[in-house]
Amino acid sequence: MIHFRISDFSLFRIYFLLMHLVCDFDDTLTNTTKYWNFWLDKLEKVGVSRERAIETGSRLFIERFTLKRHMDALSIQDQTAVQLLNEMEEHVKEFGKTYIFPDVHPFLLEHNTNHSFSLLTYGDETNQRWRVSESGIGPYFQPVRIAGPEKHKVEFLKEILQTTAEQIIFVDDSPNELNPVVDAGLPIKLYRIVRPGAKHDYVHERDDVAWTRIGSIDEIKI
């Protein structure tokens, strides 16, 4: 009879099964561009020009964007602000799951038994956790980490490397998030996902050099 120690199973798990996939959320798993355009349509209906809304929102994205902060910056107040916020909350509650790209659920269902997933997104913590919750994919991802101007994604990835023996894969749509990982020399397999029409739908000089460029999540080799 062959006897196994707990450590033997741990080694089997590390070397034969597990990879840990760290995923961005916006325009990686969920169609944030579609969500953003829906919001811009709402703002236009209350008299805010699309150009002004985009310019103001772009500045806020560097910090921690929320719909409320965007309206404050656009001087939308009182009942109009309350109504817009209520309408968006109802919209996300009803349609949040439909924003998830169609390749995501099949990929998660195929791989969640043998591999693990976590989310690493950027923005306002309350806002991002709410959107993840309403998207319906939250249960696949443990934990959900929220980066921001005080602590960038690369810092979270350094911590993940120190706490797991699994091979780490990181997928994001933005070269701004992938470049620091490359420059830090972290031993992480990188993918850049480019969704058609999304904010970062362009060719980058490091595509297929420092990271692998893909068009759908199921192109990840796991």
Side-chain angles (χ1 to χ4, degrees), residues 158-201:
K158 289 177 182 177
E159 292 178 357
I160 294 171
L161 282 170
Q162 294 174 353
T163 58
T164 182
E166 300 165 349
Q167 180 180 344
I168 306 299
I169 299 172
F170 177 49
V171 57
D172 202 295
D173 65 309
S174 173
N176 298 329
E177 302 293 358
L178 295 170
N179 275 323
V181 183
V182 176
D183 296 340
L186 301 186
I188 295 174
K189 175 66 175 176
L190 300 177
Y191 287 88
R192 178 177 176 240
I193 191 164
V194 181
R195 302 289 190 177
K199 179 180 179 180
H200 297 291
D201 181 7

